[in-house]
């Protein structure tokens, strides 16, 4: 497909890397020069072009700019009626994107994560499921949501990723002070957590790790008693309140 990216920031760059080697023709915008030049140098099917050329040459256009900046960036550009637009912008609804890209079709709002660069990533999205699966489905899993309210709730709940990374980093630091190779310890913990959660739902995993008096049970109960569950629920409520 002919794919275009307006905004070549952190997340758009990860998406482009994840699309490499699949026969697409990919155009990216020049801003974030270090990133766009690197993508062009690294991936044969990527070229850096002007914003209007991206629109003129692409069947599907991805918006990887900040929602607050989108209107000013897009205002002088001309989208086509037969074009599909997929937005990565948190805080811009599908209706808002439709207004920004008329007469093109706002096909989907999609929230990728940096891991999409390597594939095997979870993508949450609202909109054209078939299109997103066609572009991303072979390497990733697209979770298509029913309503804007669901997307908002997923946006809040996905924020658990950073606290999980914090817990992992803290446990790795603790471990690193006690072993010869701290990096090996950190790699072990990351694989332990990701591989177990990849194949089991959370409740089943907790149950499987619930050996009475076992280390996993003891640490979980200690942290639950300290209020980790209530803290998480309160934090998520705060995100929901805005
Ligand atoms: N990071 C994530 O994990 C993540 C996940 C899901 C969704 N998102 C969404 O993705 C969007 C981008 O986030 P990000 O983290 O990738 O931010 P970012 O790295 O700051 O990317 C924003 C990009 O917009 C570019 N830009 C600004 N003005 C421009 C213009 N006039 N013309 C062309 N490009 C312009 C910036 O270029 P300069 O660097 O030159 O200013 C930069 O490349 C946001 O809407 C965010 O909500 C991010």
């Amino acid at each position: 497909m002919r794919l275009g990216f307006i905004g070549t920031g952190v997340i758009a760059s990860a998406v482009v890397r994840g699309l490499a080697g699949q026969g697409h023709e990919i155009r990216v915008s020049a801003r974030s020069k270090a990133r766009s030049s690197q993508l062009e140098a690294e991936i044969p099917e990527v070229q850096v072009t002007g914003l209007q050329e991206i629109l003129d040459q692409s069947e599907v256009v991805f918006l990887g700019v900040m929602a607050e900046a989108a209107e000013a960036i897009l205002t002088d550009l001309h989208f086509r009626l037969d074009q599909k637009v997929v937005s990565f912008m948190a805080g811009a609804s599908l209706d808002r994107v439709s207004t920004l890209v008329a007469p093109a079709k706002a096909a989907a709002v999609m929230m990728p994560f940096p891991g999409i660069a390597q594939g095997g990533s979870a993508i949450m999205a609202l909109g054209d499921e078939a299109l997103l699966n066609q572009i991303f489905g072979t390497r990733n899993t697209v979770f298509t949501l029913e309503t804007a309210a669901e997307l908002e709730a997923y946006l809040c709940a996905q924020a658990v990723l950073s606290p999980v990374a914090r817990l992992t980093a803290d446990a790795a630091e603790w471990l690193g002070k006690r072993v010869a190779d701290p990096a090996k310890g950190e790699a072990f913990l990351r694989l332990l957590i990701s591989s177990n959660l990849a194949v089991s739902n959370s409740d089943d995993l907790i149950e499987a790790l619930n050996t009475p008096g076992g280390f996993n049970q003891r640490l979980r109960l200690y942290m639950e008693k300290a209020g980790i569950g209530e803290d998480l629920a309160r934090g998520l409520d705060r995100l929901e309140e805005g």
Side-chain angles (χ1 to χ4, degrees):
M1 295 180 85
R2 287 178 290 116
L3 308 175
F5 288 80
I6 304 287
T8 318
V10 172
I11 206 63
S13 301
V15 173
V16 168
R17 285 204 168 84
L19 289 168
Q22 298 180 73
H24 298 301
E25 212 179 281
I26 301 174
R27 288 177 177 79
V28 301
S29 52
R31 284 276 298 260
S32 288
K33 182 109 187 68
R35 281 205 183 87
S36 54
S37 312
Q38 180 60 37
L39 288 172
E40 191 175 46
E42 190 181 306
I43 305 168
E45 59 267 40
V46 170
Q47 53 176 299
V48 179
T49 71
L51 297 182
Q52 188 58 53
E53 190 180 341
I54 291 174
L55 299 192
D56 292 344
Q57 299 298 330
S58 304
E59 295 161 80
V60 181
V61 176
F62 296 91
L63 301 180
V65 293
M66 305 306 285
E68 312 80 73
E71 187 165 359
I73 295 168
L74 301 177
T75 194
D76 291 331
L77 300 175
H78 303 289
F79 288 85
R80 287 194 319 274
L81 189 60
D82 65 338
Q83 208 154 41
K84 292 179 176 170
V85 177
V86 176
S87 166
F88 302 150
M89 300 185 296
S93 67
L94 209 46
D95 286 347
R96 173 80 186 127
V97 177
S98 288
T99 310
L100 290 170
V101 305
K105 182 172 168 32
V109 171
M110 151 182 168
M111 293 293 143
F113 294 92
I116 197 170
Q118 290 77 40
S121 189
I123 297 171
M124 51 185 186
L126 184 65
D128 191 336
E129 183 170 19
L131 178 72
L132 296 182
N133 269 316
Q134 183 186 353
I135 301 174
F136 298 105
T138 49
R139 291 188 178 174
N140 303 279
T141 306
V142 181
F143 292 81
T144 313
L145 311 177
E146 301 295 323
T147 61
E150 271 201 9
L151 181 63
E152 288 304 314
Y154 268 71
L155 267 173
C156 294
Q158 63 76 33
V160 75
L161 181 58
S162 182
V164 167
R166 172 82 276 155
L167 283 177
T168 309
D170 289 350
E173 191 185 342
W174 184 95
L175 178 62
K177 290 178 184 149
R178 290 158 175 81
V179 296
D181 184 350
K184 186 160 93 182
E186 202 258 355
F188 165 76
L189 289 173
R190 280 193 286 122
L191 183 58
L192 175 78
I193 293 162
S194 59
S195 62
N196 277 282
L197 281 173
V199 297
S200 171
N201 76 50
S202 318
D203 283 340
D204 287 350
L205 184 57
I206 290 168
E207 191 49 41
L209 297 170
N210 207 23
T211 308
F215 280 14
N216 267 272
Q217 188 198 56
R218 281 169 58 194
L219 183 59
R220 178 175 55 78
L221 292 177
Y222 175 82
M223 292 181 72
E224 283 174 356
K225 200 170 165 200
I228 191 174
E230 290 81 0
D231 281 351
L232 176 64
R234 266 195 302 274
L236 290 173
D237 286 347
R238 278 207 186 166
L239 295 183
E240 192 175 37
E241 285 155 16

